[in-house]
Amino acid sequence: MAAAAVKIIRLRCENPQDNLTDEVKMQQDGRQIWPNRDDGYFSISTGNEVPLNLVLAFDTVTRITLYDDEDLGSDDNLGTVEIFDYEAGGERTKDIAGSGSLYKLTYIVRTLDF
């Protein structure tokens, strides 16, 4: 059983990898969680912020990874953050940094009491 949950509040683009806009998708531990479609993506540019309101269960640690969708070849990995159960408490922000890109992920961790 999961011992914690993370609520992903929002994603902000500080600097896209592509010139103007990235076509991003998000994975939790290797499984696409946003957008919900299997091969969907969301276009985002510098200064744009997307409210997500995703609640994701996990045990001790979970890895959130952003990808830039590519028409040809493999999608570009924009970076990964690890979120831990001991981060429970107030709102937090972590940088997701890749080769030439920077995103800010805002979230809250809660422990689950059984």
Side-chain angles (χ1 to χ4, degrees), residues 23-27 32 34-35 38-42 65-70 75 78:
E23 293 73 37
V24 297
K25 48 188 160 184
M26 184 181 296
Q27 291 185 357
Q32 185 168 330
W34 179 80
D38 289 332
D39 197 33
Y41 59 81
F42 187 88
T65 305
L66 278 185
Y67 288 92
D68 181 23
D69 188 78
E70 297 297 331
D75 294 339
L78 299 177

PDB file of all heavy atoms in Angstrom, residues 23-27 32 34-35 38-42 65-70 75 78:
ATOM      1  N   GLU A  23       6.475  20.770 -26.249  1.00  0.00           N
ATOM      2  CA  GLU A  23       5.273  19.934 -26.203  1.00  0.00           C
ATOM      3  C   GLU A  23       5.528  18.915 -25.102  1.00  0.00           C
ATOM      4  O   GLU A  23       6.118  17.866 -25.354  1.00  0.00           O
ATOM      5  CB  GLU A  23       5.017  19.253 -27.552  1.00  0.00           C
ATOM      6  CG  GLU A  23       4.638  20.201 -28.672  1.00  0.00           C
ATOM      7  CD  GLU A  23       5.785  21.049 -29.200  1.00  0.00           C
ATOM      8  OE1 GLU A  23       6.926  20.552 -29.283  1.00  0.00           O
ATOM      9  OE2 GLU A  23       5.540  22.230 -29.509  1.00  0.00           O
ATOM     10  N   VAL A  24       5.114  19.228 -23.884  1.00  0.00           N
ATOM     11  CA  VAL A  24       5.522  18.438 -22.726  1.00  0.00           C
ATOM     12  C   VAL A  24       4.512  17.370 -22.349  1.00  0.00           C
ATOM     13  O   VAL A  24       3.312  17.495 -22.604  1.00  0.00           O
ATOM     14  CB  VAL A  24       5.817  19.328 -21.490  1.00  0.00           C
ATOM     15  CG1 VAL A  24       6.973  20.257 -21.743  1.00  0.00           C
ATOM     16  CG2 VAL A  24       4.596  20.089 -21.051  1.00  0.00           C
ATOM     17  N   LYS A  25       5.036  16.339 -21.736  1.00  0.00           N
ATOM     18  CA  LYS A  25       4.256  15.299 -21.094  1.00  0.00           C
ATOM     19  C   LYS A  25       5.000  14.889 -19.831  1.00  0.00           C
ATOM     20  O   LYS A  25       6.215  15.085 -19.729  1.00  0.00           O
ATOM     21  CB  LYS A  25       3.973  14.124 -22.005  1.00  0.00           C
ATOM     22  CG  LYS A  25       5.139  13.563 -22.770  1.00  0.00           C
ATOM     23  CD  LYS A  25       4.618  12.536 -23.750  1.00  0.00           C
ATOM     24  CE  LYS A  25       5.561  12.258 -24.864  1.00  0.00           C
ATOM     25  NZ  LYS A  25       4.996  11.336 -25.835  1.00  0.00           N
ATOM     26  N   MET A  26       4.266  14.370 -18.872  1.00  0.00           N
ATOM     27  CA  MET A  26       4.831  14.066 -17.561  1.00  0.00           C
ATOM     28  C   MET A  26       4.629  12.596 -17.238  1.00  0.00           C
ATOM     29  O   MET A  26       3.560  12.035 -17.511  1.00  0.00           O
ATOM     30  CB  MET A  26       4.138  14.928 -16.496  1.00  0.00           C
ATOM     31  CG  MET A  26       4.689  14.782 -15.107  1.00  0.00           C
ATOM     32  SD  MET A  26       3.777  15.818 -13.915  1.00  0.00           S
ATOM     33  CE  MET A  26       4.140  17.461 -14.519  1.00  0.00           C
ATOM     34  N   GLN A  27       5.673  11.996 -16.656  1.00  0.00           N
ATOM     35  CA  GLN A  27       5.597  10.616 -16.216  1.00  0.00           C
ATOM     36  C   GLN A  27       5.861  10.524 -14.719  1.00  0.00           C
ATOM     37  O   GLN A  27       6.637  11.311 -14.174  1.00  0.00           O
ATOM     38  CB  GLN A  27       6.625   9.742 -16.928  1.00  0.00           C
ATOM     39  CG  GLN A  27       6.352   9.524 -18.382  1.00  0.00           C
ATOM     40  CD  GLN A  27       7.335   8.547 -19.010  1.00  0.00           C
ATOM     41  OE1 GLN A  27       8.265   8.071 -18.374  1.00  0.00           O
ATOM     42  NE2 GLN A  27       7.127   8.258 -20.283  1.00  0.00           N
ATOM     43  N   GLN A  32       3.135   7.472 -18.096  1.00  0.00           N
ATOM     44  CA  GLN A  32       2.608   8.796 -18.416  1.00  0.00           C
ATOM     45  C   GLN A  32       1.368   9.088 -17.577  1.00  0.00           C
ATOM     46  O   GLN A  32       0.433   8.300 -17.530  1.00  0.00           O
ATOM     47  CB  GLN A  32       2.271   8.935 -19.903  1.00  0.00           C
ATOM     48  CG  GLN A  32       1.834  10.355 -20.249  1.00  0.00           C
ATOM     49  CD  GLN A  32       1.769  10.641 -21.718  1.00  0.00           C
ATOM     50  OE1 GLN A  32       2.515  10.072 -22.491  1.00  0.00           O
ATOM     51  NE2 GLN A  32       0.878  11.534 -22.118  1.00  0.00           N
ATOM     52  N   TRP A  34       0.268  12.693 -17.398  1.00  0.00           N
ATOM     53  CA  TRP A  34      -0.302  13.946 -17.894  1.00  0.00           C
ATOM     54  C   TRP A  34       0.327  14.313 -19.222  1.00  0.00           C
ATOM     55  O   TRP A  34       1.538  14.205 -19.352  1.00  0.00           O
ATOM     56  CB  TRP A  34      -0.053  15.057 -16.875  1.00  0.00           C
ATOM     57  CG  TRP A  34      -0.576  16.389 -17.322  1.00  0.00           C
ATOM     58  CD1 TRP A  34      -1.862  16.822 -17.257  1.00  0.00           C
ATOM     59  CD2 TRP A  34       0.167  17.445 -17.906  1.00  0.00           C
ATOM     60  NE1 TRP A  34      -1.959  18.089 -17.767  1.00  0.00           N
ATOM     61  CE2 TRP A  34      -0.710  18.497 -18.172  1.00  0.00           C
ATOM     62  CE3 TRP A  34       1.520  17.612 -18.244  1.00  0.00           C
ATOM     63  CZ2 TRP A  34      -0.307  19.686 -18.752  1.00  0.00           C
ATOM     64  CZ3 TRP A  34       1.938  18.785 -18.824  1.00  0.00           C
ATOM     65  CH2 TRP A  34       1.018  19.823 -19.064  1.00  0.00           C
ATOM     66  N   PRO A  35      -0.422  14.771 -20.191  1.00  0.00           N
ATOM     67  CA  PRO A  35      -1.870  14.626 -20.236  1.00  0.00           C
ATOM     68  C   PRO A  35      -2.244  13.148 -20.215  1.00  0.00           C
ATOM     69  O   PRO A  35      -1.409  12.284 -20.417  1.00  0.00           O
ATOM     70  CB  PRO A  35      -2.297  15.292 -21.522  1.00  0.00           C
ATOM     71  CG  PRO A  35      -1.074  15.777 -22.207  1.00  0.00           C
ATOM     72  CD  PRO A  35       0.095  15.396 -21.387  1.00  0.00           C
ATOM     73  N   ASP A  38      -2.450   8.494 -24.064  1.00  0.00           N
ATOM     74  CA  ASP A  38      -1.203   7.736 -24.143  1.00  0.00           C
ATOM     75  C   ASP A  38      -0.078   8.502 -24.824  1.00  0.00           C
ATOM     76  O   ASP A  38       1.051   8.465 -24.383  1.00  0.00           O
ATOM     77  CB  ASP A  38      -1.429   6.412 -24.880  1.00  0.00           C
ATOM     78  CG  ASP A  38      -2.241   5.455 -24.040  1.00  0.00           C
ATOM     79  OD1 ASP A  38      -2.184   5.548 -22.799  1.00  0.00           O
ATOM     80  OD2 ASP A  38      -2.940   4.616 -24.626  1.00  0.00           O
ATOM     81  N   ASP A  39      -0.366   9.174 -25.919  1.00  0.00           N
ATOM     82  CA  ASP A  39       0.693   9.881 -26.630  1.00  0.00           C
ATOM     83  C   ASP A  39       0.385  11.372 -26.724  1.00  0.00           C
ATOM     84  O   ASP A  39       0.831  12.047 -27.628  1.00  0.00           O
ATOM     85  CB  ASP A  39       0.893   9.284 -28.026  1.00  0.00           C
ATOM     86  CG  ASP A  39       2.228   9.699 -28.626  1.00  0.00           C
ATOM     87  OD1 ASP A  39       3.197   9.862 -27.851  1.00  0.00           O
ATOM     88  OD2 ASP A  39       2.308   9.878 -29.854  1.00  0.00           O
ATOM     89  N   GLY A  40      -0.399  11.887 -25.783  1.00  0.00           N
ATOM     90  CA  GLY A  40      -0.740  13.298 -25.795  1.00  0.00           C
ATOM     91  C   GLY A  40       0.388  14.164 -25.258  1.00  0.00           C
ATOM     92  O   GLY A  40       1.342  13.674 -24.665  1.00  0.00           O
ATOM     93  N   TYR A  41       0.289  15.456 -25.491  1.00  0.00           N
ATOM     94  CA  TYR A  41       1.247  16.420 -24.953  1.00  0.00           C
ATOM     95  C   TYR A  41       0.542  17.751 -24.769  1.00  0.00           C
ATOM     96  O   TYR A  41      -0.571  17.950 -25.233  1.00  0.00           O
ATOM     97  CB  TYR A  41       2.480  16.561 -25.854  1.00  0.00           C
ATOM     98  CG  TYR A  41       2.170  17.014 -27.262  1.00  0.00           C
ATOM     99  CD1 TYR A  41       1.965  18.357 -27.559  1.00  0.00           C
ATOM    100  CD2 TYR A  41       2.072  16.097 -28.294  1.00  0.00           C
ATOM    101  CE1 TYR A  41       1.666  18.776 -28.841  1.00  0.00           C
ATOM    102  CE2 TYR A  41       1.776  16.500 -29.582  1.00  0.00           C
ATOM    103  CZ  TYR A  41       1.581  17.834 -29.847  1.00  0.00           C
ATOM    104  OH  TYR A  41       1.280  18.243 -31.113  1.00  0.00           O
ATOM    105  N   PHE A  42       1.208  18.672 -24.068  1.00  0.00           N
ATOM    106  CA  PHE A  42       0.661  19.995 -23.805  1.00  0.00           C
ATOM    107  C   PHE A  42       1.705  21.020 -24.229  1.00  0.00           C
ATOM    108  O   PHE A  42       2.858  20.943 -23.790  1.00  0.00           O
ATOM    109  CB  PHE A  42       0.339  20.145 -22.315  1.00  0.00           C
ATOM    110  CG  PHE A  42      -0.377  21.421 -21.989  1.00  0.00           C
ATOM    111  CD1 PHE A  42      -1.757  21.485 -22.045  1.00  0.00           C
ATOM    112  CD2 PHE A  42       0.334  22.555 -21.632  1.00  0.00           C
ATOM    113  CE1 PHE A  42      -2.428  22.670 -21.746  1.00  0.00           C
ATOM    114  CE2 PHE A  42      -0.321  23.744 -21.336  1.00  0.00           C
ATOM    115  CZ  PHE A  42      -1.700  23.796 -21.387  1.00  0.00           C
ATOM    116  N   THR A  65       9.129  12.884 -14.174  1.00  0.00           N
ATOM    117  CA  THR A  65       9.975  13.213 -15.315  1.00  0.00           C
ATOM    118  C   THR A  65       9.160  13.945 -16.370  1.00  0.00           C
ATOM    119  O   THR A  65       8.029  13.563 -16.656  1.00  0.00           O
ATOM    120  CB  THR A  65      10.586  11.932 -15.932  1.00  0.00           C
ATOM    121  OG1 THR A  65      11.267  11.204 -14.913  1.00  0.00           O
ATOM    122  CG2 THR A  65      11.566  12.269 -17.047  1.00  0.00           C
ATOM    123  N   LEU A  66       9.759  14.990 -16.939  1.00  0.00           N
ATOM    124  CA  LEU A  66       9.143  15.717 -18.052  1.00  0.00           C
ATOM    125  C   LEU A  66       9.834  15.323 -19.350  1.00  0.00           C
ATOM    126  O   LEU A  66      11.058  15.141 -19.385  1.00  0.00           O
ATOM    127  CB  LEU A  66       9.331  17.226 -17.875  1.00  0.00           C
ATOM    128  CG  LEU A  66       8.380  17.975 -16.977  1.00  0.00           C
ATOM    129  CD1 LEU A  66       8.683  19.468 -17.052  1.00  0.00           C
ATOM    130  CD2 LEU A  66       6.939  17.728 -17.336  1.00  0.00           C
ATOM    131  N   TYR A  67       9.035  15.229 -20.404  1.00  0.00           N
ATOM    132  CA  TYR A  67       9.562  14.947 -21.741  1.00  0.00           C
ATOM    133  C   TYR A  67       9.028  15.979 -22.712  1.00  0.00           C
ATOM    134  O   TYR A  67       7.905  16.467 -22.563  1.00  0.00           O
ATOM    135  CB  TYR A  67       9.120  13.560 -22.220  1.00  0.00           C
ATOM    136  CG  TYR A  67       9.823  12.436 -21.510  1.00  0.00           C
ATOM    137  CD1 TYR A  67       9.275  11.872 -20.368  1.00  0.00           C
ATOM    138  CD2 TYR A  67      11.034  11.943 -21.979  1.00  0.00           C
ATOM    139  CE1 TYR A  67       9.921  10.845 -19.704  1.00  0.00           C
ATOM    140  CE2 TYR A  67      11.687  10.920 -21.321  1.00  0.00           C
ATOM    141  CZ  TYR A  67      11.127  10.368 -20.183  1.00  0.00           C
ATOM    142  OH  TYR A  67      11.777   9.355 -19.528  1.00  0.00           O
ATOM    143  N   ASP A  68       9.841  16.292 -23.721  1.00  0.00           N
ATOM    144  CA  ASP A  68       9.400  17.123 -24.842  1.00  0.00           C
ATOM    145  C   ASP A  68       9.095  16.179 -25.991  1.00  0.00           C
ATOM    146  O   ASP A  68       9.975  15.442 -26.452  1.00  0.00           O
ATOM    147  CB  ASP A  68      10.509  18.109 -25.223  1.00  0.00           C
ATOM    148  CG  ASP A  68      10.111  19.027 -26.374  1.00  0.00           C
ATOM    149  OD1 ASP A  68       8.899  19.227 -26.590  1.00  0.00           O
ATOM    150  OD2 ASP A  68      11.016  19.542 -27.053  1.00  0.00           O
ATOM    151  N   ASP A  69       7.841  16.163 -26.428  1.00  0.00           N
ATOM    152  CA  ASP A  69       7.398  15.272 -27.497  1.00  0.00           C
ATOM    153  C   ASP A  69       8.091  15.648 -28.806  1.00  0.00           C
ATOM    154  O   ASP A  69       8.169  16.821 -29.164  1.00  0.00           O
ATOM    155  CB  ASP A  69       5.877  15.377 -27.659  1.00  0.00           C
ATOM    156  CG  ASP A  69       5.332  14.356 -28.616  1.00  0.00           C
ATOM    157  OD1 ASP A  69       5.204  13.193 -28.201  1.00  0.00           O
ATOM    158  OD2 ASP A  69       5.034  14.725 -29.773  1.00  0.00           O
ATOM    159  N   GLU A  70       8.588  14.651 -29.512  1.00  0.00           N
ATOM    160  CA  GLU A  70       9.241  14.854 -30.799  1.00  0.00           C
ATOM    161  C   GLU A  70       8.503  14.068 -31.869  1.00  0.00           C
ATOM    162  O   GLU A  70       8.076  12.933 -31.635  1.00  0.00           O
ATOM    163  CB  GLU A  70      10.701  14.396 -30.745  1.00  0.00           C
ATOM    164  CG  GLU A  70      11.559  15.175 -29.759  1.00  0.00           C
ATOM    165  CD  GLU A  70      11.699  16.648 -30.097  1.00  0.00           C
ATOM    166  OE1 GLU A  70      11.629  17.014 -31.290  1.00  0.00           O
ATOM    167  OE2 GLU A  70      11.883  17.447 -29.164  1.00  0.00           O
ATOM    168  N   ASP A  75      11.533  10.986 -27.678  1.00  0.00           N
ATOM    169  CA  ASP A  75      11.201  12.228 -26.987  1.00  0.00           C
ATOM    170  C   ASP A  75      12.401  12.674 -26.162  1.00  0.00           C
ATOM    171  O   ASP A  75      13.179  11.850 -25.674  1.00  0.00           O
ATOM    172  CB  ASP A  75       9.995  12.016 -26.069  1.00  0.00           C
ATOM    173  CG  ASP A  75       8.727  11.716 -26.852  1.00  0.00           C
ATOM    174  OD1 ASP A  75       8.663  12.047 -28.051  1.00  0.00           O
ATOM    175  OD2 ASP A  75       7.796  11.151 -26.256  1.00  0.00           O
ATOM    176  N   LEU A  78      13.470  16.150 -20.360  1.00  0.00           N
ATOM    177  CA  LEU A  78      13.697  17.514 -19.862  1.00  0.00           C
ATOM    178  C   LEU A  78      14.151  17.535 -18.405  1.00  0.00           C
ATOM    179  O   LEU A  78      14.432  18.601 -17.863  1.00  0.00           O
ATOM    180  CB  LEU A  78      12.420  18.342 -20.017  1.00  0.00           C
ATOM    181  CG  LEU A  78      11.908  18.514 -21.444  1.00  0.00           C
ATOM    182  CD1 LEU A  78      10.594  19.281 -21.445  1.00  0.00           C
ATOM    183  CD2 LEU A  78      12.932  19.192 -22.320  1.00  0.00           C
TER     184      LEU A  78
END
